[in-house]
Amino acid sequence: MIRLKVPATTANLGSGFDTLGMALTLYNIFTVKEILPEGEYTCEVIGEGVDELKDARKNLLVISYLKACEIWNVPPKGFAFESCNAVPLNRGLGSSSTAVVAGVMLANILSGWKFPEAELLRVMTKIEGHPDNVVPCCIGGMTVSCWDGESLRYVRLPALPENLNVIAAVPDFQVHTEDARKILPESVPFRDAVFNVSHASILCAAWAMGRWDLLRVGMEDRLHQSHRAKLFPGTTGEKFFSEIANHPDCVATAISGSGPTMIAIVHGAAGKLSQAMCRIFTDGGAGSHFFVLNCSPRGVGVMIKE
């Protein structure tokens, strides 16, 4: 039996588009129960995605596993696995990245642990297309990454302190990554590019130095969030940035990944802020629920039982 415990992630964090990401204490658990002949795959799904993910050959874990085996030129063994999913699908919390990371890790395990962390991360990023989710998903904590299509560079920053929590308000509608990317402009004004470079730099420096009072400024963005907020019903997106950002309990807020989940970093008790976040979705005509999470200092966990 091989069990992989893989964390959710929140990416971009406002100003760090396709660059910054943080692992969260919400997990998908993938368990390989039996090794099968090459080309044979079966999947049992529990929790999120029961209907969408039950076809093993179309499951992103299997697709990523086969792609990694192809890249490394190793024979792909078949397997039967169980996918126990707590991370909502297509909500901006890195559900696809959990499958990519698990698939590549599984390819490495079943080929005899041949490849180091740097190579695993390179292949994960190549499959995913960008590093902001898969890097923290694999290694944990808060990460800063850059990717040129072949080479990956990354730095792992400390996890959030224990007195800072992350609220993830998850609405009952989905936003597909492809749609969230299509809505972005092909070019931006030079001043907006400079704005994001300066604010992402402040965010990284503040995170590294423990200047949590600067997170609000550091997470301000002019590249993507105003466009992606248009995919939210009514004025829901605008209200998050006008009301939640100014809530007395809010340290900083952002669209999680490509949305539609909204995250807020909160100091101490999270009750009032989480209710306020869900109320905005309700006012926009959407149901929602929330998680109160921490930054996960660990990435994917592997347990093997003979």
Side-chain angles (χ1 to χ4, degrees):
M1 185 190 73
I2 303 169
R3 179 165 292 166
L4 303 173
K5 183 179 180 181
V6 194
T9 48
T10 182
N12 299 326
L13 297 172
S15 58
F17 182 70
D18 276 3
T19 301
L20 305 182
M22 175 171 56
L24 299 172
T25 53
L26 179 68
Y27 303 93
N28 286 343
I29 298 176
F30 305 99
T31 305
V32 173
K33 296 185 172 182
E34 184 180 0
I35 301 300
L36 302 176
E38 183 174 332
E40 293 186 21
Y41 304 94
T42 66
C43 177
E44 178 185 358
V45 180
I46 301 169
E48 297 283 343
V50 169
D51 296 325
E52 299 97 319
L53 304 175
K54 60 185 177 182
D55 186 341
R57 297 294 305 198
K58 296 180 180 179
N59 191 291
L60 187 54
L61 182 149
V62 175
I63 293 171
S64 301
Y65 166 79
L66 292 172
K67 184 63 177 178
C69 289
E70 178 186 349
I71 291 171
W72 293 329
N73 194 29
V74 298
K77 298 178 181 178
F79 52 84
F81 74 103
E82 177 187 271
S83 180
C84 186
N85 302 331
V87 183
L89 268 64
N90 299 313
R91 299 303 206 286
L93 288 171
S95 61
S96 64
S97 294
T98 67
V100 171
V101 168
V104 175
M105 287 294 296
L106 188 56
N108 191 37
I109 293 168
L110 294 182
S111 64
W113 297 92
K114 293 181 179 180
F115 305 100
E117 179 182 274
E119 174 61 9
L120 300 182
L121 288 169
R122 185 189 73 85
V123 172
M124 291 170 185
T125 303
K126 194 173 187 67
I127 294 171
E128 179 80 348
H130 41 88
D132 51 343
N133 286 111
V134 292
V135 174
C137 183
C138 183
I139 67 175
M142 163 75 162
T143 64
V144 187
S145 310
C146 64
W147 169 250
D148 63 7
E150 288 296 332
S151 299
L152 174 69
R153 301 289 185 272
Y154 59 93
V155 175
R156 187 178 186 274
L157 296 178
L160 281 173
E162 292 183 359
N163 63 339
L164 290 181
N165 295 315
V166 179
I167 302 171
V170 185
D172 61 8
F173 62 90
Q174 298 183 346
V175 170
H176 292 275
T177 302
E178 296 82 1
D179 296 330
R181 288 190 175 272
K182 286 179 182 177
I183 203 170
L184 300 180
E186 293 185 1
S187 60
V188 297
F190 190 80
R191 63 181 178 276
D192 289 345
V194 173
F195 180 96
N196 267 62
V197 169
S198 62
H199 283 68
S201 299
I202 284 289
L203 177 56
C204 294
W207 203 292
M209 300 301 293
R211 288 290 307 276
W212 310 115
D213 57 305
L214 293 176
L215 294 191
R216 184 191 301 266
V217 172
M219 289 171 66
E220 292 177 355
D221 160 77
R222 290 185 183 174
L223 292 186
H224 67 104
Q225 293 192 128
S226 62
H227 303 286
R228 288 175 165 174
K230 296 174 184 176
L231 297 173
F232 291 30
T235 59
T236 302
E238 297 172 9
K239 284 186 176 180
F240 269 105
F241 295 114
S242 62
E243 296 181 18
I244 298 304
N246 294 312
H247 192 283
D249 295 336
C250 183
V251 176
T253 188
I255 296 175
S256 184
S258 56
T261 293
M262 292 294 302
I263 62 159
I265 298 176
V266 59
H267 189 282
K272 291 183 180 179
L273 184 55
S274 58
Q275 291 174 11
M277 294 171 76
C278 288
R279 187 162 50 248
I280 290 178
F281 280 126
T282 300
D283 292 343
S288 63
H289 62 282
F290 67 88
F291 298 99
V292 179
L293 307 169
N294 299 113
C295 175
S296 175
R298 298 178 181 176
V300 56
V302 180
M303 184 181 76
I304 300 175
K305 184 180 293 186
E306 297 293 338

